[in-house]
Amino acid sequence: MKAPRVTLDQWRTLQAVVDHGGFAQAAEVLHRSQSSVSYTVARMQDQLGVPLLRIDGRKAVLTEAGEVLLRRSRQLVKNASQLEDLAHHMEQGWEAEVRLVVDAAYPNARLVRALSAFMPQSRGCRVRLREEVLSGVEELLIEGVADLAISSFSIPGYLGTELSDVEFIAVAHPEHTLHRLNRELSFQDLESQMQVVIRDSGRQQPRDVGWLGAEQRWTVGSLATAAAFVGSGLGFAWLPRHMVERELKEGVLKQLPLEQGGSRHPTFYLFSNKDKPLGPATQILVELLRTFDTAPLDAPFAAPQQA
């Protein structure tokens, strides 16, 4: 990659000339001589090969090319300042990145609120979010791939902070054989039908959580795929209520009238990497995840303003 011919200091000088109305004013703001400012801008024009300013009376105004380049340079200078700020924050122990692994059944609405609130406080710290299913969350935490993890399982050797529960309901298409029985359903009724199960993303000890031992079983890779299959009349499944609210309202899915067990409420927990001290950014994110975990999923929400 070819090295830039124009420095950030030169772009800052041009910006000062334009923003403050001339070479003399820019020199005063930059604490430099007027001749130094004039030379810097003239040198820029020679290096770029295009005129940036033209003299209109006693005032220097931008050329068409100068307007385009100045506009682009503002983002360049801003990015450079943010990079320097990030280096300063890292020197003080601020993390460059937080790795968050979440069970796919946990409501996205809560994550969006927490991460949106984190953005203006992040000081450039990125969040690497990864979704897993069942024991996949546990594995990544134990392997050290995650700094924070949200799971519905108790993870041996880790103390988790209790979050809210998520309601899973047994559903099928309204025209499914189980609904046509027109009565409360038993375990034996379900055993004879096809069940759609979400594949555990863990590799070491995958679990068959929720499988009833039905004669026929289809295993899919995501909750969204399971909802699509069941909504097409292909079997039944336990799915998070918050993920299928629209399908329930539109009549694409209907809750099964089970004698017992038609609704499950697993509690979720927030875990942190016990082998890595929580940095300041991670601590802020932990508090935000806990705060927004209790917010109603349908609560009004405004996205943060971009800086």
Side-chain angles (χ1 to χ4, degrees):
M1 182 181 296
K2 186 169 65 173
R5 287 175 291 180
V6 178
T7 66
L8 289 172
D9 179 66
Q10 288 175 298
W11 287 119
R12 290 191 181 101
T13 302
L14 177 64
Q15 291 173 17
V17 171
V18 174
D19 293 344
H20 297 283
F23 292 98
Q25 296 89 330
E28 185 177 349
V29 170
L30 297 173
H31 305 291
R32 292 163 59 180
S33 67
Q34 183 174 338
S35 61
S36 171
V37 172
S38 298
Y39 174 79
T40 298
V41 175
R43 178 66 177 154
M44 282 183 71
Q45 295 182 108
D46 290 339
Q47 290 171 311
L48 293 171
V50 294
L52 302 174
L53 297 170
R54 59 181 174 81
I55 303 302
D56 185 0
R58 293 187 176 183
K59 189 175 181 181
V61 297
L62 286 167
T63 63
E64 186 175 339
E67 289 181 357
V68 173
L69 293 174
L70 179 68
R71 186 167 60 249
R72 295 287 295 272
S73 77
R74 292 191 188 281
Q75 188 61 45
L76 177 68
V77 171
K78 180 181 178 181
N79 289 342
S81 296
Q82 291 175 340
L83 187 61
E84 291 172 1
D85 288 342
L86 177 58
H88 174 67
H89 296 320
M90 290 173 67
E91 182 185 14
Q92 296 180 321
W94 197 271
E95 309 93 299
E97 179 180 82
V98 177
R99 300 165 299 172
L100 172 62
V101 179
V102 181
D103 189 292
Y106 188 76
N108 276 335
R110 290 178 180 147
L111 293 175
V112 168
R113 286 165 168 76
L115 294 176
S116 296
F118 176 73
M119 189 188 305
Q121 305 180 57
S122 65
R123 300 187 190 180
C125 175
R126 299 175 301 175
V127 176
R128 188 185 295 271
L129 176 63
R130 180 167 170 176
E131 283 190 334
E132 296 289 332
V133 177
L134 300 173
S135 70
V137 178
E138 176 182 344
E139 282 187 12
L140 293 181
L141 181 65
I142 293 174
E143 291 170 2
V145 177
D147 300 311
L148 298 174
I150 295 178
S151 173
S152 61
F153 293 134
S154 295
I155 301 178
Y158 289 81
L159 292 175
T161 299
E162 185 173 324
L163 300 176
S164 58
D165 59 38
V166 172
E167 183 184 12
F168 283 71
I169 56 175
V171 293
H173 188 276
E175 298 301 321
H176 190 276
T177 300
L178 290 170
H179 281 302
R180 290 205 296 266
L181 294 175
N182 294 317
R183 58 173 172 78
E184 283 194 333
L185 304 175
S186 66
F187 174 80
Q188 288 73 26
D189 293 321
L190 299 182
E191 261 191 327
S192 63
Q193 299 296 320
M194 178 181 292
Q195 181 178 357
V196 179
V197 179
I198 295 83
R199 178 181 60 83
D200 189 328
S201 63
R203 304 181 307 276
Q204 304 300 325
Q205 293 181 322
R207 302 168 182 173
D208 286 325
V209 175
W211 181 46
L212 296 178
E215 292 180 2
Q216 303 178 74
R217 167 174 125 170
W218 282 8
T219 302
V220 298
S222 71
L223 290 161
T225 301
F229 275 36
V230 176
S232 298
L234 302 175
F236 71 93
W238 269 267
L239 296 172
R241 181 183 287 277
H242 69 267
M243 292 188 67
V244 295
E245 282 287 4
R246 185 176 66 179
E247 288 82 353
L248 291 169
K249 290 178 181 177
E250 294 176 351
V252 177
L253 292 175
K254 184 179 179 181
Q255 186 170 357
L256 291 170
L258 299 182
E259 292 176 348
Q260 56 183 5
S263 177
R264 301 169 178 172
H265 297 78
T267 300
F268 281 71
Y269 299 88
L270 174 61
F271 299 93
S272 62
N273 188 330
K274 65 179 181 180
D275 298 320
K276 179 181 177 182
L278 294 184
T282 308
Q283 292 180 44
I284 290 173
L285 184 55
V286 165
E287 289 306 311
L288 291 172
L289 288 168
R290 293 174 60 185
T291 297
F292 287 96
D293 175 72
T294 58
L297 296 180
D298 58 353
F301 172 71
Q305 296 296 316
Q306 295 295 321

